[in-house]
Amino acid sequence: MNWTANEIMVVAAARRLAGERVCFVGIGLPNLACSLAQRTVEPSLELVYESGAVGARPQRLPISIGDPCLVSGARSVTSQFDLFAFYLQGGRVDVAFLGAAQIDRRGSINTTTIGPYERPKVRLPGSGGACEIALNAAKVFVIVPQSPRSFVSRLDFVTSPGHVPGRRARGGGPDTVVTQLGVYRFVEGEMTLVSLHPGATLEQVQAASGWEVAVASDLVETPPPTAAELADLRALDPQRVYLG
Amino acid sequence: MNWTANEIMVVAAARRLAGERVCFVGIGLPNLACSLAQRTVEPSLELVYESGAVGARPQRLPISIGDPCLVSGARSVTSQFDLFAFYLQGGRVDVAFLGAAQIDRRGSINTTTIGPYERPKVRLPGSGGACEIALNAAKVFVIVPQSPRSFVSRLDFVTSPGHVPGRRARGGGPDTVVTQLGVYRFVEGEMTLVSLHPGATLEQVQAASGWEVAVASDLVETPPPTAAELADLRALDPQRVYLG
Amino acid sequence: MSKVTTMSEAIGRLVADGASVAIEGFTHLICHAAGHEIIRQGRRDLTLCRLTPDIVADQMVAAGTVSRLVFSWLGNPGVGSLHAIRRRIEQADPAPLEIEEYSHFGMVGRYTAGAAGLPFFPLRSYEHSDLPRANPRIVPLPSPYGDDSVYAVPPLNPDVAIVHVQRASAEGDAQAWGLLGCQKEAAFAARRVIVVCEEVVPESVIRADPNRTLIPNMIVDAVVQAPGGCHPSFVQGYYDRDNPFYLDWDGISRDPAALEAWLQEWVYGLADHAEYRARLGAERWAALAPGEAWAPPVNYGSYR
Amino acid sequence: MSKVTTMSEAIGRLVADGASVAIEGFTHLICHAAGHEIIRQGRRDLTLCRLTPDIVADQMVAAGTVSRLVFSWLGNPGVGSLHAIRRRIEQADPAPLEIEEYSHFGMVGRYTAGAAGLPFFPLRSYEHSDLPRANPRIVPLPSPYGDDSVYAVPPLNPDVAIVHVQRASAEGDAQAWGLLGCQKEAAFAARRVIVVCEEVVPESVIRADPNRTLIPNMIVDAVVQAPGGCHPSFVQGYYDRDNPFYLDWDGISRDPAALEAWLQEWVYGLADHAEYRARLGAERWAALAPGEAWAPPVNYGSYR
C-alpha cells in the first residue's frame, strides 16, 4: 500500500475525530479529514464553517470556506456574529482545525508575518478567526507540514495562543498536531510526539524541529492507512486538488 | 363639530408627526396617531414596533404590538436584539411614543409602581423597552390623560428618565406631551403648555397638575380637529376599541 | 437521531423543581402548552425567565409552580393586569413572589451575553432611572476608550429554554418566521432546549431553506409536536391570537376561585394539550385560521 | 421614493476622496462592480474596511485608490497571496500601505458596536496573542462583575457601506440569502449605504417575505442594479464563483505590468459593469449558472 504525506496526515487527523460532535473546519486538508471521519469513525460529525454554514452537506468538493455548495443543503446558515458569538464563544465547538505557518512547542501559532510585524519579510493572511478559535474551541487540531521553518523555537508573531503560561481561556487549546512525520499531543502544555508514521524516524522528527521535541514514553507507530480509508479519501478529492 | 378627549389627543399628536420619518410606536392611541399622520401630514412615516415589525402595513386595527397583521406585509421583521441595538440605540428612531402612569415636569415617566417598589400599592407593567426608548430616541412623544394622579410633582419610581439634570443620553428626550387639555413641549427641560385645546382653560390645566405648570408666552389654542381628520381617524377604529 | 418525544416526557426529564426556565416568544410563539404541562406535573420553585410574563405566567404563578420572575414587562398585553401575579407582589397573597427586573433590551442583552459566553452585556439604558437601584445587578460600566459610559447587565443562562416554532425536523433543527423575539438568544443561552413545533417536517425541508433555521439541532434536547400549543397566543401563518380569551382572562384572574376552577378545567382536568385543543373545539380553531399569504420563491441553487 | 441610480452616480455622489468605505461580503456577495467603479473614478486615499481583503482589494490597492486597510484576513481565498498588497506592505512598493488589523470576530464586533451606538464591543479573544501589541486599539476590559476579563474593540462607523444582495426594492429594502457575513452590521454602522442588487423587484415581493429583509430602506441612500456585479465572487442561486479567475489572479497580481494591463482592459477600458459583463461573454456566464434548488413555501397568513 502506498500513500502520500498529505494522505497520511488526513487519515491520522480523521481518526482523532472519533467521538467528537461539532467541528469548526477550514478548507483543504482539514475539510478532507472531517469528510473522511464522517465516512469512517464519526458519521454524526457536524461541520461548521467560519462562513456561517452549519451542518453542511456539500455535493462537490468545496473550493473555499464560503463555497455555495456548503449553503445549499445545510442545516442552517448563520450570520458571522452568531457564528462567532453563539457557536464558538458560546462553547458549542468541540474541535476546530487551524493551519500554521509557524508553530511552537506550546502549540502557539503564527499566521501573521514572517519577520517583524512592522516591516515583514513575508506578509501572511493574519488571524481571520484563528485567534478566537484558539481561545474558545474545546480542542484545537493542527495539520501542518513539519520542517525547521514551521516548527520553530520562537514565533515571529503570536496569532493564536497555545498552552502559554497563565492561559485562562475557556477553550482547551491545542490538542493534536498532525504532520507528515507523526502525531503530537500536549502533555502539561508541551507538544509531545505520540505516534510516528510508518517509515518516519525520530531523527527525521528532530531534524525537522526547531527545538528538542518531547517524545511520549509509550510512543507508537501510526497504523498505516487502510485500503478503505484511502479509497474513501481519494474519492473525496478525485482530482487531487488538495491531496496533491 | 364634536370630538372626544381621545380624539383630540390623537389628532394633536398626529399633527406633530409632520416631517418625521421613523416612528417607534406602541398600540392604542399612539398607533392611531401614526396611522392618522400617514393619511394626513406625513404619508411616508415608517412605523417600527417593539416586537420587531418594521414598515408595517396592517390590514386591520392591530390589537397588540405583536399582532400578526403587523408582520404580513411589513418591509422587514427583525429580532429584538437588532431592533433595540441597531434601530433604537443606533439612533435610527426619530420619534418614539411612550405611555405614562405618572409624569413629572421634566418629562420623566413612571410605569413601574404606585407606592414603594418593594411593596407597591399598585404594581404596573414596568419598563418594557421604555427606559432605553426614553434615552435613545431622537424625540419622545407622550399621550397621557392628565390629572393630579398622573401629573405629579414627584414620581414614585423613575422608569424612563426625562430632562433630568446631568442627562448625557444621545436621545433628545421628551419633546411633546399631549393630554385631553392641551399640548406641552419642553423649554430648557421644563414641561411647558404651548397649546390649549378648544374649551379647556388654564385653571383646568392647573387643577389637573401636581405642580405649577409653565405656560408659553405665545400660548395658542389648538386648532379644532377638522372633519377630514375626524373621518380618517374614526375609519381607523370603527369599533372604537381605543377611541372609547 | 430523532429527539421527538411527548411534552409530558420532555418536561418530566428536563424541567426539575427549582430550575430556571425561559419560555420566550414576544406576543408570538408563546408556548402555553409547555406551561400547562409544567403546572400539571406540579413543579415547584421555578424561576421563570421571560421578557413579558403574561397569561401563561399568571397561570404558572397562580398554580404555585413559580417562586421567582426574571422579566422586563408584566401584564396582559392589550388588556391590563395579571391579577394573580399582582396579588402576590402587592399583598404577598397567598405568598410573596421574588422578582428580578430589567428593561427589554436588558433582558435581550442578558440572553445575548449568556449565549455568547460573555461576562456581561453593555447597553445604553438605565442612566438616571431607578432600575439600577431596584436591581443592583444593573451596574454602570465606563468605556475603556475614555469619556463615555454604558450600563452592564449580567449573563442569563437558564437551565432550560422552551421555544415554540412553526416547524422542526425530528433531530431538532427549528425554523420560524414572523416575530422572532429573542428565542434564538434564549435557546443558545440555555443549558437544555426543548423545541415545540406546530409540525415535524422531514430534514430535507429544513435543508432546503437553511437561512430560516433559527435553532440548530446541536443545542436541542427534545422535540415536541404540539399543534395549537401557543393558544391563546398565535403562530404566524397557522392561527391568530384568540383575543376573547385575553379579555376573559382579566375576569378569571381577578377572582382566585375562578382562576382555580379554570386550572382544574383546562389544565389538571386534561391529560395533555391534545385534549385542550379538542376541548376548544373545531369552531374556535376555524375562527382563528388566517388566510393564505405565501412568501415568494427563492432559489438557493444546486452546486454539484 | 425610488433610490435607483447608476453605479457611476452612486459612487460619484457617496464615495469621496479620503472616505472610509466598507465593502463586505464573506466570500459571497462581494461587490466587485463597485470596486471597479471606484477605481474608474480615480478615488484617492480611501480607507477600505473589509474582514477579508481579497481580489477586489488587491485591485483597488494596485490602482492607488486605497491608502489604508482595516481588516482581519488578507489573501486570495483558496489560492494564496494578494501580491499588489504584499508589495506595498513588505517593500513599500510603490508606496507604503497603512494597516489596522483585527481578528474576524474583532471586526464583526467593531461593526456591531458601530451599528448599535456602543463605545466598544467586548469579546473573548486576543489574550496572550500579539495582536493587541500590533494594534493598541485592542484593549483589555475587566468585567464589572468581578474575576473575569475580556477584550474590547472600538466601534467602526465607515462613511459608506456598499452591500450586494440578491434583490431589493427601488426604495432600498434589501433581501439576501445564503452566507450573510456581516453585511447587516456594516450597513447599520455606516453613515451612508449603497445597496447593489442582482434584481430590483416590486415592493410587494419584499413585503411578502419580511423575514428575508437584511437591510431596511430607511438606512439606504442608493440602489444600483448590477447583475453579475460580484464576479468573480458569487451570488447564491444566481452564479457560482469563477474559480479560474481566482487562480489566474495569482499570476496577474505577481506582475505589476500584467496587473496594470488587466486594469486597463477590464476597468479603465470599460464604461461600466454592463460592458464588463458583456465582455466576459455568454459562455462564461453559462458555465457559472447553478441548477435550481428552491426553498419550500412558507405561509405568513393574511390577517384582515
Side-chain angles (χ1 to χ4, degrees):
Chain A
M1 188 88 50
N2 271 321
W3 56 82
T4 66
N6 278 357
E7 285 171 343
I8 198 164
M9 287 199 283
V10 171
V11 167
R15 291 170 180 166
R16 294 267 323 135
L17 290 169
E20 304 295 349
R21 177 74 205 288
V22 178
C23 186
F24 199 105
V25 63
I27 224 61
L29 300 187
N31 192 64
L32 288 174
C34 292
S35 297
L36 181 57
Q38 286 178 324
R39 280 156 185 77
T40 54
V41 296
E42 196 51 59
S44 67
L45 194 71
E46 289 285 359
L47 305 191
V48 175
Y49 292 83
E50 203 175 47
S51 55
V54 175
R57 185 177 282 176
Q59 302 290 305
R60 68 181 187 199
L61 188 68
I63 51 177
S64 93
I65 52 168
D67 194 304
C69 74
L70 300 173
V71 167
S72 296
R75 288 189 188 278
S76 176
V77 169
T78 188
S79 71
Q80 287 193 287
F81 181 89
D82 286 6
L83 188 80
F84 282 107
F86 300 160
Y87 287 79
L88 181 63
Q89 208 172 260
R92 305 290 183 174
V93 172
D94 298 319
V95 175
F97 279 89
L98 290 180
Q102 296 179 328
I103 188 168
D104 70 12
R105 63 201 298 165
R106 297 277 163 197
S108 292
I109 289 170
N110 173 19
T111 52
T112 301
T113 55
I114 303 299
Y117 182 79
E118 305 301 334
R119 188 66 186 262
K121 192 154 153 271
V122 182
R123 173 65 223 203
L124 301 165
S127 166
C131 183
E132 41 263 12
I133 290 168
L135 293 166
N136 290 286
K139 296 174 185 160
V140 171
F141 281 23
V142 183
I143 299 180
V144 57
Q146 180 175 357
S147 77
R149 277 176 31 185
S150 63
F151 269 48
V152 297
S153 65
R154 196 185 158 78
L155 303 179
D156 291 355
F157 190 95
V158 179
T159 314
S160 308
H163 297 283
V164 297
R167 179 184 168 106
R168 308 198 310 168
R170 296 182 162 195
D175 177 272
T176 298
V177 177
V178 179
T179 78
Q180 79 280 17
L181 297 174
V183 177
Y184 302 78
R185 303 202 60 201
F186 288 81
V187 177
E188 291 175 12
E190 167 92 15
M191 201 196 296
T192 303
L193 183 71
V194 297
S195 182
L196 203 54
H197 294 335
T201 66
L202 284 175
E203 290 66 34
Q204 285 176 309
V205 164
Q206 207 48 71
S209 305
W211 71 91
E212 195 176 330
V213 170
V215 178
S217 56
D218 54 352
L219 178 72
V220 298
E221 184 175 282
T222 309
T226 66
E229 284 171 328
L230 286 174
D232 277 339
L233 176 55
R234 290 166 185 173
L236 286 166
D237 184 8
Q239 295 172 56
R240 303 192 72 85
V241 175
Y242 300 114
L243 290 175
Chain B
M1 188 86 53
N2 271 318
W3 56 83
T4 67
N6 279 356
E7 284 171 345
I8 197 163
M9 286 199 284
V10 171
V11 167
R15 290 170 181 166
R16 293 265 325 132
L17 289 168
E20 304 296 347
R21 178 73 207 287
V22 179
C23 185
F24 198 104
V25 63
I27 223 62
L29 300 188
N31 192 64
L32 288 174
C34 292
S35 297
L36 181 58
Q38 286 178 324
R39 279 156 186 77
T40 53
V41 295
E42 196 51 60
S44 68
L45 193 70
E46 290 284 359
L47 306 191
V48 176
Y49 292 83
E50 205 176 45
S51 55
V54 174
R57 184 177 284 177
Q59 301 290 305
R60 69 182 185 198
L61 187 68
I63 51 176
S64 94
I65 50 168
D67 194 303
C69 74
L70 300 172
V71 168
S72 295
R75 288 188 189 279
S76 176
V77 169
T78 186
S79 71
Q80 286 192 287
F81 180 90
D82 286 6
L83 188 79
F84 282 107
F86 300 159
Y87 287 79
L88 180 63
Q89 206 173 261
R92 306 292 183 173
V93 172
D94 299 319
V95 175
F97 278 89
L98 289 181
Q102 297 180 329
I103 188 167
D104 70 11
R105 64 203 297 164
R106 297 275 163 200
S108 293
I109 289 171
N110 173 20
T111 53
T112 300
T113 56
I114 303 300
Y117 181 79
E118 306 300 336
R119 188 67 185 264
K121 191 156 153 271
V122 182
R123 174 65 224 203
L124 301 165
S127 165
C131 183
E132 41 263 10
I133 290 167
L135 293 166
N136 290 286
K139 294 174 187 159
V140 171
F141 280 23
V142 183
I143 300 181
V144 58
Q146 180 173 357
S147 78
R149 277 175 33 184
S150 64
F151 268 48
V152 298
S153 66
R154 195 183 159 79
L155 304 179
D156 291 355
F157 190 95
V158 179
T159 313
S160 307
H163 296 283
V164 298
R167 180 182 167 108
R168 305 199 310 168
R170 297 183 163 194
D175 178 89
T176 297
V177 177
V178 180
T179 79
Q180 79 281 16
L181 298 174
V183 177
Y184 303 78
R185 303 201 60 200
F186 289 80
V187 177
E188 290 175 15
E190 167 94 13
M191 200 197 296
T192 303
L193 183 71
V194 297
S195 182
L196 202 55
H197 294 335
T201 66
L202 284 176
E203 290 66 35
Q204 285 176 310
V205 164
Q206 205 48 71
S209 304
W211 71 91
E212 195 175 330
V213 171
V215 178
S217 56
D218 53 352
L219 178 73
V220 297
E221 183 175 281
T222 310
T226 66
E229 283 170 329
L230 286 174
D232 278 340
L233 176 54
R234 289 166 185 172
L236 286 166
D237 184 7
Q239 295 173 55
R240 303 193 72 84
V241 175
Y242 301 114
L243 291 175
Chain C
M1 194 196 58
S2 172
K3 295 170 188 161
V4 175
T5 183
T6 62
M7 185 69 86
S8 163
E9 193 279 332
I11 298 295
R13 172 163 52 99
L14 296 167
V15 180
D17 283 352
S20 55
V21 182
I23 303 180
E24 276 304 338
F26 194 80
T27 81
H28 181 217
L29 300 173
I30 305 167
C31 193
H32 284 248
H36 292 175
E37 183 59 27
I38 288 171
I39 294 172
R40 204 175 280 124
Q41 295 196 13
R43 285 295 170 287
R44 286 293 175 270
D45 282 329
L46 299 184
T47 293
L48 179 63
C49 308
R50 177 158 172 71
L51 268 68
T52 57
D54 37 26
I55 289 181
V56 71
D58 210 29
Q59 294 168 350
M60 291 174 75
V61 166
T65 63
V66 170
S67 58
R68 191 155 165 276
L69 282 182
V70 182
F71 75 102
S72 47
W73 191 91
L74 194 61
N76 181 341
V79 180
S81 290
L82 302 171
H83 299 285
I85 291 177
R86 278 186 59 185
R87 279 192 293 276
R88 289 191 56 172
I89 294 177
E90 295 169 8
Q91 300 150 41
D93 168 21
L97 181 68
E98 236 187 291
I99 61 171
E100 184 179 333
E101 185 166 2
Y102 297 84
S103 61
H104 278 349
F105 195 31
M107 280 292 285
V108 172
R110 293 199 65 195
Y111 284 128
T112 303
L118 286 171
F120 64 88
F121 197 83
L123 67 163
R124 292 198 185 275
S125 189
Y126 302 125
E127 194 164 23
H128 298 298
S129 94
D130 283 338
L131 279 158
R133 216 159 0 192
N135 180 354
R137 305 188 75 192
I138 301 171
V139 298
L141 175 62
S143 165
Y145 299 109
D147 188 32
D148 197 354
S149 82
V150 293
Y151 272 77
V153 289
L156 178 53
N157 293 102
D159 292 319
V160 195
I162 298 170
V163 179
H164 200 104
V165 299
Q166 277 99 339
R167 66 188 182 198
S169 69
E171 287 186 289
D173 293 299
Q175 298 193 331
W177 53 98
L179 303 171
L180 302 178
C182 57
Q183 302 273 37
K184 178 178 66 183
E185 292 81 358
F188 274 97
R191 292 179 185 87
R192 301 277 179 227
V193 175
I194 301 173
V195 163
V196 187
C197 60
E198 293 294 315
E199 301 185 69
V200 173
V201 295
E203 194 181 306
S204 60
V205 171
I206 302 293
R207 289 188 180 273
D209 196 357
N211 283 103
R212 287 239 199 254
T213 304
L214 191 67
I215 295 168
N217 82 79
M218 68 175 72
I219 68 168
V220 173
D221 298 275
V223 175
V224 176
Q225 186 168 12
C230 291
H231 178 273
S233 146
F234 74 101
V235 174
Q236 191 80 35
Y238 287 74
Y239 43 96
D240 203 347
R241 160 162 147 154
D242 188 351
N243 205 46
F245 188 102
Y246 279 76
L247 297 168
D248 289 348
W249 187 254
D250 192 66
I252 296 168
S253 152
R254 273 179 203 279
D255 175 355
L259 206 168
E260 178 58 27
W262 189 91
L263 289 174
Q264 285 299 339
E265 180 176 356
W266 290 94
V267 181
Y268 297 120
L270 303 176
D272 57 19
H273 193 265
E275 287 195 8
Y276 175 99
R277 188 158 42 102
R279 192 177 175 86
L280 274 177
E283 206 179 320
R284 191 144 182 184
W285 285 108
L288 300 175
E292 293 186 6
W294 295 92
V298 310
N299 181 21
Y300 276 89
S302 160
Y303 297 85
R304 288 166 190 279
Chain D
M1 193 198 61
S2 171
K3 296 170 188 161
V4 174
T5 183
T6 62
M7 184 70 86
S8 163
E9 193 279 332
I11 298 295
R13 171 163 53 99
L14 297 166
V15 180
D17 283 352
S20 54
V21 183
I23 303 180
E24 277 302 340
F26 195 79
T27 81
H28 180 216
L29 300 173
I30 306 167
C31 193
H32 285 248
H36 291 176
E37 183 59 26
I38 289 171
I39 294 172
R40 204 176 280 122
Q41 295 196 13
R43 286 295 169 286
R44 286 291 175 272
D45 281 330
L46 299 184
T47 293
L48 179 63
C49 309
R50 177 159 171 71
L51 268 66
T52 56
D54 37 25
I55 289 180
V56 71
D58 210 30
Q59 293 168 351
M60 291 172 76
V61 167
T65 64
V66 170
S67 58
R68 191 153 164 276
L69 281 182
V70 181
F71 75 101
S72 46
W73 191 91
L74 194 63
N76 182 341
V79 179
S81 289
L82 301 170
H83 299 285
I85 290 177
R86 279 187 58 185
R87 280 191 294 276
R88 288 191 56 172
I89 295 178
E90 295 168 8
Q91 299 150 41
D93 168 22
L97 182 68
E98 236 187 291
I99 61 172
E100 183 178 333
E101 183 165 3
Y102 298 84
S103 61
H104 277 350
F105 195 31
M107 281 292 285
V108 172
R110 292 199 66 195
Y111 284 127
T112 304
L118 286 170
F120 63 90
F121 197 83
L123 68 162
R124 292 197 184 276
S125 189
Y126 301 126
E127 193 164 24
H128 299 298
S129 93
D130 283 338
L131 279 158
R133 215 158 1 191
N135 179 354
R137 305 188 75 191
I138 301 170
V139 298
L141 174 63
S143 166
Y145 299 109
D147 188 31
D148 196 354
S149 81
V150 294
Y151 271 77
V153 289
L156 179 54
N157 292 103
D159 292 319
V160 195
I162 299 169
V163 180
H164 199 105
V165 298
Q166 277 98 339
R167 65 189 183 198
S169 69
E171 285 188 289
D173 294 298
Q175 299 193 330
W177 53 97
L179 303 172
L180 303 179
C182 57
Q183 302 272 38
K184 178 179 64 184
E185 291 82 358
F188 273 97
R191 291 178 186 89
R192 300 276 179 229
V193 175
I194 301 173
V195 163
V196 187
C197 60
E198 293 294 315
E199 300 184 70
V200 172
V201 296
E203 194 181 307
S204 59
V205 171
I206 301 294
R207 289 187 181 273
D209 196 358
N211 283 104
R212 289 240 197 254
T213 304
L214 191 68
I215 295 167
N217 81 78
M218 68 175 72
I219 69 168
V220 173
D221 298 274
V223 175
V224 175
Q225 184 166 15
C230 291
H231 179 273
S233 148
F234 74 101
V235 174
Q236 192 81 35
Y238 286 74
Y239 43 95
D240 203 348
R241 162 162 147 154
D242 188 351
N243 206 46
F245 188 103
Y246 279 76
L247 297 168
D248 289 349
W249 186 256
D250 192 67
I252 296 168
S253 152
R254 273 179 203 278
D255 174 356
L259 206 169
E260 179 58 29
W262 189 92
L263 288 175
Q264 286 298 341
E265 180 176 357
W266 290 95
V267 181
Y268 298 118
L270 303 176
D272 57 19
H273 193 265
E275 287 195 8
Y276 175 97
R277 189 157 42 101
R279 191 177 176 85
L280 274 176
E283 204 178 325
R284 191 144 183 184
W285 285 108
L288 299 175
E292 293 186 8
W294 295 91
V298 310
N299 181 22
Y300 276 89
S302 160
Y303 298 84
R304 287 165 189 278

